Amino acid sequence: TYVVTQNCIRCKYTDCVEVCPVDCFYEGENFLVIHPDECIDCGLCEPECPAEAIFLDDDVTEDQQIFIEINAQLSEKWPNITERIEPLEDAEEWKDKPNKLALLIK
Ligand code: SF4
Ligand code: F3S
């Protein structure tokens, strides 16, 4: 399954949502997640993310492993998002900032 990782936090570009054939993205206030049971591993979303935040679970780096669990948990809780929306206002500023996990609004 594909996983949204840290660099989406406070950016939320949502280009990923537009290409997903099975609409398996779920939206929080400042982050999106992928439902692991719904993702069909098509890989279409990965190159669309301007923040390069999406990875196949097997390729998630050691320091981002927690996001596999975060995607699984929050996709059960958050509402489905099926259309692209405007990125967060200061997305460009927050893109590529390190240690954004603490800023994730669950
Ligand atoms: Fe959707 Fe495909 Fe991305 Fe999975 S890999 S979230 S099915 S676009
Ligand atoms: Fe997030 Fe990238 Fe999608 S920033 S909302 S994973 S396009």
Side-chain angles (χ1 to χ4, degrees), residues 4 7-8 11-16 32 48-51 53-54:
V4 184
N7 212 20
C8 177
C11 292
K12 209 164 83 166
Y13 287 102
T14 72
D15 299 73
C16 53
L32 289 197
E48 294 301 319
C49 175
I54 303 177

Side-chain angles (χ1 to χ4, degrees), residues 1-4 16-17 19-25 33-35 38-46 54 56:
T1 192
Y2 280 74
V3 179
V4 184
C16 53
V17 172
V19 298
C20 182
V22 294
D23 291 341
C24 65
F25 281 91
V33 291
I34 294 169
H35 198 303
E38 296 172 3
C39 173
I40 57 168
D41 290 1
C42 71
L44 286 175
C45 56
E46 186 185 346
I54 303 177
L56 182 62

